[in-house]
Amino acid sequence: MLTQCVRLAFICQRDNMTKYSGKGTIKYDNGDVYEGDFRDSEPHGQGKITYIDGRVCEGNWEDGKLQKGTCKWKDGKVYEGELVDGKRHGKGKVTYSCGGVYEGDWKDGRRHGKGTIKANGDVYAGEFKNDKYDGKGTGKWSC
């Protein structure tokens, strides 16, 4: 599989036999574009990827995977925190386009563990499992 890439001031075709390191830009076959640091032809270090759906993620990459950073969606949603295999995982915070905020633990892209939701003056702090309220928690409702 050939992938077009732009590195520094020249355009190249890379195959699995050519490895490169340093700063550069690569356009993947699906249209996604990564700009930043590379090591052994993989994103590694600081970088930014712009997906064809308009989402933009930037931060610290290791061996081709974003480990910690910020992702912004076209609808205004923003996630800041840790990731594993491209999914929210570990500690993180998401601010939804409506203004609501969740901050806490994530597992496989879902709220899981301890966290706090603040929206429209309401606050819930407690436990989550598979993106749902679960276990102990406290709430303060504005109405």
Side-chain angles (χ1 to χ4, degrees):
M1 172 176 85
L2 290 177
T3 303
Q4 281 191 334
C5 61
V6 179
R7 235 172 54 140
L8 303 175
F10 62 93
I11 296 176
C12 64
Q13 292 283 327
R14 83 165 171 93
D15 58 25
N16 292 333
M17 303 300 288
T18 307
K19 296 199 179 236
Y20 49 87
S21 296
K23 293 193 178 296
T25 300
I26 187 167
K27 182 176 182 181
Y28 295 97
D29 294 334
N30 66 0
D32 298 340
V33 177
Y34 171 83
E35 301 173 70
D37 298 329
F38 287 87
R39 184 175 78 187
D40 295 331
S41 301
E42 294 288 345
H44 192 92
Q46 291 299 306
K48 173 175 88 170
I49 189 163
T50 303
Y51 295 95
I52 59 170
D53 65 7
R55 181 173 32 121
V56 177
C57 295
E58 58 186 305
N60 188 44
W61 295 73
E62 290 182 27
D63 300 321
K65 296 182 181 180
L66 183 59
Q67 301 294 311
K68 187 172 185 178
T70 301
C71 295
K72 298 177 182 179
W73 283 259
K74 284 172 57 173
D75 68 359
K77 179 171 61 175
V78 177
Y79 173 77
E80 301 170 81
E82 300 170 336
L83 300 108
V84 172
D85 293 328
K87 295 180 183 177
R88 296 172 281 204
H89 194 93
K91 300 286 185 193
K93 173 182 173 182
V94 67
T95 303
Y96 298 96
S97 55
C98 64
V101 175
Y102 169 80
E103 187 167 7
D105 298 328
W106 295 84
K107 182 179 177 183
D108 295 325
R110 297 174 184 227
R111 295 173 293 190
H112 194 93
K114 293 184 179 184
T116 302
I117 292 179
K118 296 177 182 178
N120 302 317
D122 299 338
V123 178
Y124 170 81
E127 298 174 6
F128 292 82
K129 185 175 182 180
N130 291 321
D131 230 18
K132 297 184 172 130
Y133 301 117
D134 186 73
K136 294 182 181 182
T138 59
K140 179 182 173 189
W141 314 116
S142 60
C143 56

